[in-house]
Amino acid sequence: MPDNRRELPLAARLGASIDGVQLADGSSYVAIKPSLLAPTSVRATVELEHFPDTHFDVRLRWDSETLGYRVEHLGITTDRGISTSDLHAYSVPTLVRVVASSGVLVELESITGEAGKFTGFEEFLALVDLDAMRTRASTGPADSLWLVAILYAYARTVGLNPNRTVVDLLALPQRTATRWIARARTEGLLD
């Protein structure tokens, strides 16, 4: 049987591999400000590196109230059985992040000028000059606030701490990141 597992960058950092990521039947995408698309329902089988003989079947559904995903189904399959201590060791938030991150797309228009073209978040980050954004963001150009809004919206969507994500990826002090997030929200770049 061929190994179809993919190691997406976020999944690899979280110690997971994903097999069979797919939009659930009838799923569409929801637009998230400033320029993200998230599937309304996504399903995948996940394997965590610390539990190689255990497979998690995860199905997520978009929740428009929280602007994030809710677990619709979580199944665990293993050949060795599951103990109570195993159940405590599994990280449901990690499973949700891995599956949610696999389907979120970012529009490329502001970077490449190609309207209507989208890419995965990790690929998007590879196209952005984060150092230039860090430098220019202090003076407040729109593209830097746009990036802050993208980082924040993505993190909120996949279940990461949005403020911490902006702080970490842009190497900003917490207070500065909070101010820029508020400014992006004031300028209508965030929901």
Side-chain angles (χ1 to χ4, degrees), residues 58-77:
V58 182
R59 191 171 55 241
L60 306 176
R61 175 131 346 248
W62 179 255
D63 182 354
S64 57
E65 288 182 26
T66 63
L67 299 176
Y69 286 99
R70 292 196 182 265
V71 177
E72 188 173 66
H73 170 81
L74 174 61
I76 304 171
T77 306

Side-chain angles (χ1 to χ4, degrees), residues 2-67:
D3 187 0
N4 294 327
R5 291 180 295 168
R6 296 189 305 152
E7 292 209 4
L8 299 170
L10 178 63
R13 286 197 304 272
L14 295 174
S17 60
I18 302 176
D19 183 14
V21 174
Q22 60 189 27
L23 295 180
D25 292 339
S27 184
S28 57
Y29 282 89
V30 62
I32 303 166
K33 280 185 178 181
S35 56
L36 300 177
L37 290 179
T40 55
S41 183
V42 64
R43 177 183 182 167
T45 300
V46 180
E47 183 179 297
L48 299 175
E49 68 183 356
H50 300 298
F51 306 101
D53 299 329
T54 305
H55 302 277
F56 302 88
D57 181 35
V58 182
R59 191 171 55 241
L60 306 176
R61 175 131 346 248
W62 179 255
D63 182 354
S64 57
E65 288 182 26
T66 63
L67 299 176

Side-chain angles (χ1 to χ4, degrees), residues 109-121:
E109 183 174 10
S110 66
I111 294 175
T112 64
E114 300 174 87
K117 296 230 177 181
F118 290 84
T119 190
F121 182 74

Side-chain angles (χ1 to χ4, degrees), residues 26-164:
S27 184
S28 57
Y29 282 89
V30 62
I32 303 166
K33 280 185 178 181
S35 56
L36 300 177
L37 290 179
T40 55
S41 183
V42 64
R43 177 183 182 167
T45 300
V46 180
E47 183 179 297
L48 299 175
E49 68 183 356
H50 300 298
F51 306 101
D53 299 329
T54 305
H55 302 277
F56 302 88
D57 181 35
V58 182
R59 191 171 55 241
L60 306 176
R61 175 131 346 248
W62 179 255
D63 182 354
S64 57
E65 288 182 26
T66 63
L67 299 176
Y69 286 99
R70 292 196 182 265
V71 177
E72 188 173 66
H73 170 81
L74 174 61
I76 304 171
T77 306
T78 184
D79 294 333
R80 61 178 181 80
I82 300 169
S83 70
T84 305
S85 62
D86 288 339
L87 286 175
H88 288 287
Y90 302 145
S91 172
V92 174
T94 296
L95 293 169
V96 170
R97 285 182 199 115
V98 166
V99 175
S101 69
S102 67
V104 178
L105 302 173
V106 182
E107 188 170 25
L108 292 172
E109 183 174 10
S110 66
I111 294 175
T112 64
E114 300 174 87
K117 296 230 177 181
F118 290 84
T119 190
F121 182 74
E122 301 280 347
E123 293 84 3
F124 165 78
L125 282 182
L127 297 172
V128 175
D129 183 351
L130 292 175
D131 289 331
M133 291 294 182
R134 286 180 196 110
T135 304
R136 290 196 319 245
S138 61
T139 59
D143 60 343
S144 295
L145 287 180
W146 174 82
L147 178 61
V148 167
I150 292 252
L151 297 176
Y152 185 93
Y154 173 81
R156 181 186 59 209
T157 299
V158 302
L160 295 169
N161 180 319
N163 287 30
R164 183 89 249 151

